[in-house]
Amino acid sequence: MRLLLFLATNVAVLVVISVVFRLLGIDSLLAQNGVDLDLNALLVYSAIIGFSGSLISLFLSKTMARHGMGVRVIGQPRDGYEHWLLETVSRLAKQAGVGMPEVGIFEGAPNAFATGWNRNDALVAVSTGLLQSMNRNEVEAVLAHEMSHVASGDMVTLTLIQGVVNTFVVFLSRVIGHIIDRVVLKNERGHGIGFFVTSLIAQVVLGILASMIVMWFSRWREFRADAGAAQLAGRYKMISALQRLQQGHATEPLPDEMAAFGITGGKVAALFASHPPLEDRIAALQKMA
């Protein structure tokens, strides 16, 4: 969910900046002598738009997570369990060599996430469904998994990857728009509305395709975070937590409104999945020395 919020904000910022630049006439600077596309200017333009989207998403990630998912940050523990959560995260943070993150709880099915703009200013949150369905050893393993994400600086790495991907998406979409404007629409000078519309459509399509790169990185980092959790909390605790999630997935079908999108096991769906299959993650942990 945290990754989806990050990507959604990133796409929204890209579109808004693109429209604003168009309204201000900044994109007219890309036309060299009013005819040819200035590729050097276009690359700088693309990088500004591309990295703006990912950086804004990064710095707003904690705020988006708190408000978007209704996270209640634990200030003063209400009960012994919340006190245990804070103590466990504090211990794991020291083991991982990072600052103590904010710890929160949100309503929902078994899930957890970590977010934040740097490893010493993070937020780790777990759902009520996870706390109700797992024992303390399994919850500890899940927290260790999230702390491993924090310690590895995955959010910053994801931001840089997303920024590079965005840059190429904007760059190529403007090239496509320029070609359509000149070859198909026969606009010989400047850029008309055809360039703007085609560029935006191409940007959305290329953005969807480029998300496969980001999702590949996300799947890879999940394996790495599992291995980190095994070191912090114990391999068998992490395996047990994943098996518990696996049991939950087996007994909870998709809602009717989402069933059409549930291409479970399909190759196309796998390319856009942010997490590897649970059985693959369990197998990787079982093979660890």
Side-chain angles (χ1 to χ4, degrees):
M1 291 300 296
R2 192 267 317 146
L3 181 60
L4 291 177
L5 285 171
F6 174 84
L7 292 176
T9 303
N10 176 76
V11 171
V13 172
L14 279 180
V15 172
V16 170
I17 293 178
S18 296
V19 173
V20 170
F21 275 22
R22 171 66 181 179
L23 293 176
L24 294 178
I26 296 177
D27 59 350
S28 64
L29 300 176
L30 303 179
Q32 192 176 50
N33 299 323
V35 179
D36 301 320
L37 198 61
D38 188 336
L39 296 181
N40 290 327
L42 176 58
L43 186 58
V44 174
Y45 169 92
S46 301
I48 291 173
I49 294 181
F51 278 91
S52 294
S54 57
L55 289 173
I56 290 173
S57 300
L58 174 66
F59 289 116
L60 292 179
S61 60
K62 283 176 62 175
T63 301
M64 288 189 304
R66 279 196 296 260
H67 295 288
M69 302 188 67
V71 175
R72 176 179 63 83
V73 176
I74 301 174
Q76 293 295 326
R78 296 180 177 180
D79 52 40
Y81 203 103
E82 290 189 1
H83 187 75
W84 175 83
L85 281 176
L86 291 178
E87 285 187 339
T88 302
V89 172
S90 177
R91 174 171 53 79
L92 293 171
K94 290 178 182 178
Q95 286 180 248
V98 299
M100 175 66 180
E102 292 181 314
V103 181
I105 299 174
F106 61 98
E107 297 290 333
N111 212 335
F113 66 86
T115 192
W117 72 277
N118 73 56
R119 43 191 271 144
N120 293 313
D121 185 25
L123 166 67
V124 173
V126 293
S127 71
T128 53
L130 184 137
L131 297 178
Q132 293 165 0
S133 63
M134 292 188 177
N135 60 44
R136 290 197 178 191
N137 284 338
E138 293 163 347
V139 173
E140 180 187 357
V142 171
L143 293 172
H145 174 95
E146 301 305 333
M147 289 307 303
S148 182
H149 278 311
V150 173
S152 299
D154 283 341
M155 277 299 294
V156 175
T157 307
L158 176 67
T159 298
L160 296 177
I161 291 175
Q162 186 69 63
V164 172
V165 168
N166 288 346
T167 297
F168 280 100
V169 166
V170 175
F171 183 88
L172 293 175
S173 67
R174 291 333 184 252
V175 171
I176 293 171
H178 179 78
I179 293 173
I180 295 297
D181 202 45
R182 292 289 186 268
V183 177
V184 179
L185 301 178
K186 307 298 183 182
N187 186 16
E188 296 181 356
R189 297 190 64 83
H191 284 138
I193 188 65
F195 168 80
F196 179 62
V197 173
T198 303
S199 296
L200 275 183
I201 294 174
Q203 183 172 306
V204 172
V205 174
L206 291 173
I208 293 173
L209 295 176
S211 67
M212 290 188 294
I213 299 174
V214 180
M215 291 306 181
W216 173 86
F217 169 74
S218 177
R219 292 192 297 273
W220 172 76
R221 77 194 184 112
E222 289 303 318
F223 286 116
R224 191 175 66 172
D226 285 343
Q231 294 179 343
L232 290 174
R235 180 160 61 106
Y236 293 106
K237 290 180 182 180
M238 191 64 222
I239 291 174
S240 178
L242 292 176
Q243 289 173 335
R244 184 79 66 181
L245 286 174
Q246 198 174 37
Q247 293 169 5
H249 285 191
T251 57
E252 294 181 7
L254 289 171
D256 292 340
E257 63 272 18
M258 294 298 294
F261 300 98
I263 318 175
T264 306
K267 293 182 179 180
V268 175
L271 291 175
F272 291 93
S274 61
H275 287 58
L278 288 169
E279 56 268 24
D280 291 352
R281 295 169 63 183
I282 293 171
L285 285 169
Q286 289 172 336
K287 291 177 182 177
M288 286 180 62

